[in-house]
């Protein structure tokens, strides 16, 4: 039968041996999973916003083309406003 000191020494050795497995309080690999999901959510939000901007720009160009087709604005004004829309898109 093991004495109390031998049992304590065996338990301590077992605990020390397994502490290296978890990095003894270090990060390990567990932090990658939350970072992956955060990055995925951020990419989804950025993609949605970019898509919404494209839709707004296309709608604005459509209104501008309709006004030109109805004769409300001339070709010079149409091209100037179209250039302004494209310049805003590049920013």
């Amino acid at each position: 039968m093991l004495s109390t000191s031998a049992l304590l020494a065996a338990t301590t050795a077992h605990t020390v041996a397994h502490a290296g497995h978890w990095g003894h309080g270090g990060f390990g690999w567990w932090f990658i999973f939350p970072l992956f999901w955060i990055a995925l959510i951020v990419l989804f939000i950025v993609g949605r916003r970019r898509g919404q901007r494209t839709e707004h720009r296309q709608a604005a160009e459509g209104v501008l083309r309709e006004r030109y087709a109805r004769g409300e604005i001339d070709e010079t004004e149409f091209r100037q406003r179209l250039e302004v829309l494209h310049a805003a898109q590049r920013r």
Side-chain angles (χ1 to χ4, degrees), residues 60-61 63-69 72-88 90:
E61 282 186 23
V63 170
L64 190 59
R65 291 179 196 286
E66 288 176 11
R67 290 188 64 200
Y68 177 65
E72 295 177 11
I73 58 175
D74 62 356
E75 183 179 354
T76 306
E77 188 174 357
F78 171 76
R79 292 192 185 281
Q80 287 173 347
R81 291 182 182 213
L82 193 61
E83 182 60 34
V84 169
L85 286 175
H86 289 184
R90 288 183 220 128

Side-chain angles (χ1 to χ4, degrees), residues 15-36:
T15 304
V16 169
H18 287 300
H21 175 72
W22 291 102
H24 208 47
F27 280 110
W29 288 95
W30 65 267
F31 72 95
I32 289 178
F33 296 111
L35 290 178
F36 169 75

Side-chain angles (χ1 to χ4, degrees), residues 6-73:
L7 185 58
L8 181 61
T11 305
T12 305
H14 179 74
T15 304
V16 169
H18 287 300
H21 175 72
W22 291 102
H24 208 47
F27 280 110
W29 288 95
W30 65 267
F31 72 95
I32 289 178
F33 296 111
L35 290 178
F36 169 75
W37 286 108
I38 290 169
L40 193 65
I41 291 168
V42 167
L43 287 174
F44 177 76
I45 292 170
V46 168
R48 293 276 299 178
R49 286 189 176 180
R50 187 170 286 179
Q52 288 173 349
R53 282 190 218 139
T54 302
E55 290 172 7
H56 289 301
R57 184 186 51 81
Q58 288 174 349
E61 282 186 23
V63 170
L64 190 59
R65 291 179 196 286
E66 288 176 11
R67 290 188 64 200
Y68 177 65
R70 286 191 301 250
E72 295 177 11
I73 58 175

